[in-house]
Amino acid sequence: MNRIQGVMTIYLREKWTWFWTPLIVLSSTLIPNLIISAFVDYFVSLTFIVASASLVYMFVTGIVCVPQTFSFAISMQVRRKDYFFGSSLMAAMISAGLTVISLILLLLERKGSNRWGLQFVDGLNIIELFGIMFVLFMSCFYIGLMISSAFQRFKAKGLLTVLVILILTPCLIALLAAYESGWQSLYVWLTSIAIVELVLWSIPISILSSLLSYRMLRRSSV
């Protein structure tokens, strides 16, 4: 446990990456949209916009954390196993913080508006919403971590392979679905997906990404 805490200490020194940057992302997303919504009527949920930007942040953080900290941690005699679990715990803490902020915005927005995007969370209690958003944040982090771990393990070839798989897989699924039911039916199906279904799909993706990241980090050189 002490070694895992040591990994977290390394991350805590990077205050810009783990603390100031998410606050800047949230502020730069929320404040302009609040100003615009005061003058122009539009129906997009502000919480939906903020949460989307936060998901992108967690994805990017997963990509940059390995190049920034892996070599230094290993040089400090940190085991690769401890590095992985320390990174996961740090990501969980940030994801929990972003989830709480998003939920506060969501509760405030639900009381005063009926914007598009809020219907995706109708009928869900606060605990369910916390679990859903937390899982989505962690899934984005692990996908980014898998990309950076592939580069650490296999360099450019590994990175290219992972990116091709990540890009081609959803494209092929969309083409097959469109071939079977047509683009219009595909659009209707995509817009009818409940957020709970999205989370259920993201769980195995998150587990697979974390396992692959762990395996590649275990075999990566400094």
Side-chain angles (χ1 to χ4, degrees), residues 102-113:
S102 300
L103 288 179
I104 292 173
L105 293 174
L106 176 63
L107 294 175
L108 293 174
E109 192 171 20
R110 287 177 74 171
K111 289 184 177 181
S113 66

Side-chain angles (χ1 to χ4, degrees), residues 20-21 86 89 104 221:
W20 297 118
T21 300
L89 186 56
I104 292 173
S221 57

Side-chain angles (χ1 to χ4, degrees), residues 2 6 20-21 30 49 80 82 89 91 106 116 145 151-152 155 157 179 183 190 192 194 201 204:
N2 291 333
W20 297 118
T21 300
L30 179 61
I49 295 173
R80 288 165 171 79
D82 296 325
L89 186 56
L106 176 63
W116 179 86
L145 184 66
F151 179 77
Q152 187 70 33
K155 304 308 177 185
K157 292 182 179 179
Y179 178 78
W183 288 108
L190 289 174
S192 65
W201 291 348

Side-chain angles (χ1 to χ4, degrees), residues 27 41 52 72 76 88 93 95 100 111 119 122 144 146 150 162 177 180 203 208 215:
S27 300
D41 291 331
S52 299
F72 177 75
M76 298 296 292
S88 298
M93 291 174 56
S95 296
V100 170
K111 289 184 177 181
Q119 68 268 26
D122 287 342
M146 179 179 63
V162 172
E180 293 292 335
I203 290 175
L208 178 61
R215 184 174 179 82

